[in-house]
Amino acid sequence: MRILLALLLIGLTIAGFATGSIDTLAEETSGTVAAPLVTVPRSETCLSAADLREAVADKRVIAPVAAIRAARQVIPRAEIQRARLCRNDETLVYLLTALRRDGQFVHVMVDATTGQVSGP
């Protein structure tokens, strides 16, 4: 009986997501901020997870959560898939990869010292 109830609940949840009647709790904004076009850093210039933790602990950069909050101001309903700390020229930036609701991946760069969105 419990298995049948669990399967029914899972089926209803999947049906709700498929029909769009279940929505995320992300807030809608009336407009989005257009970010200037900037070259995206290559993956070889990104720091390791240990270096990221060290930079956050030394207060050289903001926490990844703060960068994600800044990116959500530009793409409010997207789901952040990945956040990396990379070198871009002489500065450190967070390179965030987000999946929009229309299925498109978007890259957003956030300045790691100020928390300002600095690129696409």
Side-chain angles (χ1 to χ4, degrees), residues 52-61:
L52 167 68
R53 285 190 298 272
E54 182 181 330
V56 171
D58 291 344
K59 306 259 189 223
R60 288 184 283 147
V61 297

Side-chain angles (χ1 to χ4, degrees), residues 35-93:
L37 294 177
V38 181
T39 59
V40 177
R42 297 184 318 200
S43 62
E44 300 92 47
T45 63
C46 295
L47 280 67
S48 67
D51 292 336
L52 167 68
R53 285 190 298 272
E54 182 181 330
V56 171
D58 291 344
K59 306 259 189 223
R60 288 184 283 147
V61 297
I62 61 173
V65 172
I68 291 170
R69 285 186 194 125
R72 286 201 173 135
Q73 297 297 316
V74 178
I75 44 172
R77 295 190 56 141
E79 181 179 327
I80 304 298
Q81 299 290 313
R82 184 179 206 182
R84 296 182 290 171
L85 182 62
C86 302
R87 288 184 182 87
N88 186 29
D89 296 330
E90 297 298 318
T91 62
L92 289 173
V93 294

